[in-house]
Amino acid sequence: MTRRTVHLAVYDTFADWETGHTTAHLTQHGFTVRTVGPTTDPVTTMGGVRAQPDLALDALNPEDSALLILTGAHLWDACDDLAPFAAKARAFLDAGVPVAAICGATAGLAREGLLNDRAHTSAVSFYLDATGYRGGDHYRDADAVTDRNLITAGPTEPVAFAREVFALLGVYEGEKLDAWYRLFHDSDASAYEILSS
């Protein structure tokens, strides 16, 4: 992986807790995380935190990125305001650049047609069925799923989501990836020694 910049989408009602593990550990392993908003105007997360995007969505190019991360937000289901982020995800995937979507962002990708022919997951299958998408046969009842540069996860699985990102970007591999997951998901203290070696 030569590109070391990861782009994190931020928008009003952004679910703060869903990407903390992912972005913190990417930063600790030499990646730069830049935030992308609908514009460069500040947004307010679901937790009430104001965030100032580094750049506007229309200035984001797949060739400048190693990964686009999309989190859940009430807006995914309340209106079409976030549809441009799903369209940008299509541009990333078409360019061979990975996308990671968790929680409500999976519904946005379903509406965009990006889950019609890829293995994927979400909160529950009927949540995505309500979007009218045609990918139900590819739904997997799993914590997180990676298929052809697209990672999906449900809202209760930020650690599994991070694990898939780390595997895809080569941050951790093999025994260390397993140890990281056991430490942060299962509170398995024995994994710390492996991870720190």
Side-chain angles (χ1 to χ4, degrees):
M1 175 62 61
T2 56
R3 287 173 284 194
R4 304 293 288 183
T5 300
V6 169
H7 290 90
L8 172 66
V10 294
Y11 22 71
D12 285 332
T13 72
F14 163 92
D16 311 57
W17 63 92
E18 292 176 344
T19 60
H21 288 92
T22 303
T23 55
H25 288 271
L26 286 174
T27 300
Q28 291 173 31
H29 286 84
F31 286 85
T32 298
V33 177
R34 296 193 71 208
T35 54
V36 181
T39 67
T40 55
D41 293 338
V43 298
T44 303
T45 71
M46 204 176 292
V49 176
R50 285 176 54 84
Q52 179 78 51
D54 293 315
L55 71 157
L57 184 63
D58 62 6
L60 176 62
N61 298 306
E63 60 269 21
D64 298 329
S65 188
L67 174 73
L68 173 62
I69 302 172
L70 301 172
T71 70
H74 291 315
L75 291 180
W76 283 112
D77 298 316
C79 60
D80 292 331
D81 288 1
L82 300 184
F85 285 92
K88 186 65 74 170
R90 176 179 293 282
F92 266 61
L93 292 170
D94 287 349
V97 180
V99 172
I102 186 169
C103 189
T106 61
L109 298 190
R111 291 184 192 97
E112 181 67 20
L114 294 173
L115 305 183
N116 287 342
D117 63 352
R118 283 183 171 86
H120 61 275
T121 194
S122 185
V124 288
S125 60
F126 58 81
Y127 171 63
L128 293 184
D129 289 342
T131 68
Y133 88 130
R134 299 185 314 275
D137 290 345
H138 300 288
Y139 186 87
R140 303 291 179 263
D141 188 11
D143 294 343
V145 173
T146 301
D147 186 8
R148 289 177 293 141
N149 277 340
L150 179 61
I151 296 167
T152 51
T156 61
E157 297 300 334
V159 177
F161 181 71
R163 178 193 60 203
E164 296 301 302
V165 169
F166 301 156
L168 191 65
L169 297 182
V171 173
Y172 296 113
E173 297 175 335
E175 186 180 34
K176 284 205 171 184
L177 181 64
D178 177 66
W180 184 90
Y181 184 74
R182 287 189 294 113
L183 181 63
F184 287 95
H185 187 266
D186 304 328
S187 299
D188 181 352
S190 69
Y192 182 78
E193 185 177 351
I194 296 168
L195 197 59
S196 61
S197 65

